[in-house]
Amino acid sequence: MSSKTELIQRVDPRSVELRAKLFRGLGDLSRLSILDALRAGPLSVGEIVAMTGLSQSNASNHLRCLSECGLVAGEQRGRFVHYSLSDSRLEALLSLADELLTGTAQGVDPCRNYKDEPPT
């Protein structure tokens, strides 16, 4: 039988660090709004702005961040770039989050440990 100490030593710190970094990125309301909009399929910046209510410059800045981190991909179509989720597992992750929030994680809304942050 393994002791707790042996279990703790098996945790890969780099893996935990990378997951924390991913979830910090997903934790931004603007970036999460953009990812949510892209669940419907490829969109131009103007379409993302219309769907999210973000300003054009704010949406563009966050799209650049999401693109640099490999979460969205852009494709030039004429004068416009259309963005899409770079991996279908992102849509699955967002869907799983929705399922958790309607079931297991119902306590997240009233939780006072995490503040809602305004879009950046």
Side-chain angles (χ1 to χ4, degrees):
M1 181 141 244
S2 297
S3 70
K4 283 186 177 181
T5 304
E6 289 173 2
L7 291 175
I8 291 172
Q9 290 174 347
R10 291 184 190 157
V11 172
D12 178 7
R14 181 66 178 143
S15 177
V16 172
E17 180 184 327
L18 285 173
R19 275 185 267 146
K21 196 171 185 179
L22 170 66
F23 286 118
R24 274 194 307 271
L26 296 177
D28 180 272
L29 292 175
S30 294
R31 287 191 292 274
L32 194 54
S33 293
I34 290 168
L35 293 172
D36 219 28
L38 293 175
R39 291 168 80 178
L43 299 169
S44 68
V45 174
E47 292 167 326
I48 291 168
V49 165
M51 289 179 73
T52 62
L54 298 171
S55 70
Q56 190 277 332
S57 62
N58 191 6
S60 292
N61 286 334
H62 285 289
L63 280 163
R64 185 181 72 251
C65 173
L66 289 165
S67 181
E68 288 173 359
C69 292
L71 299 176
V72 301
E75 179 185 333
Q76 190 76 40
R77 295 184 188 170
R79 296 181 338 153
F80 301 100
V81 175
H82 283 75
Y83 292 90
S84 60
L85 298 176
S86 62
D87 190 311
S88 62
R89 291 175 292 182
L90 286 166
E91 204 289 321
L93 178 63
L94 296 171
S95 292
L96 182 56
D98 292 340
E99 290 175 28
L100 283 168
L101 289 168
T102 60
T104 306
Q106 287 182 349
V108 169
D109 190 30
C111 179
R112 296 179 186 263
N113 294 317
Y114 306 118
K115 294 181 188 178
D116 288 335
E117 297 179 22
T120 57

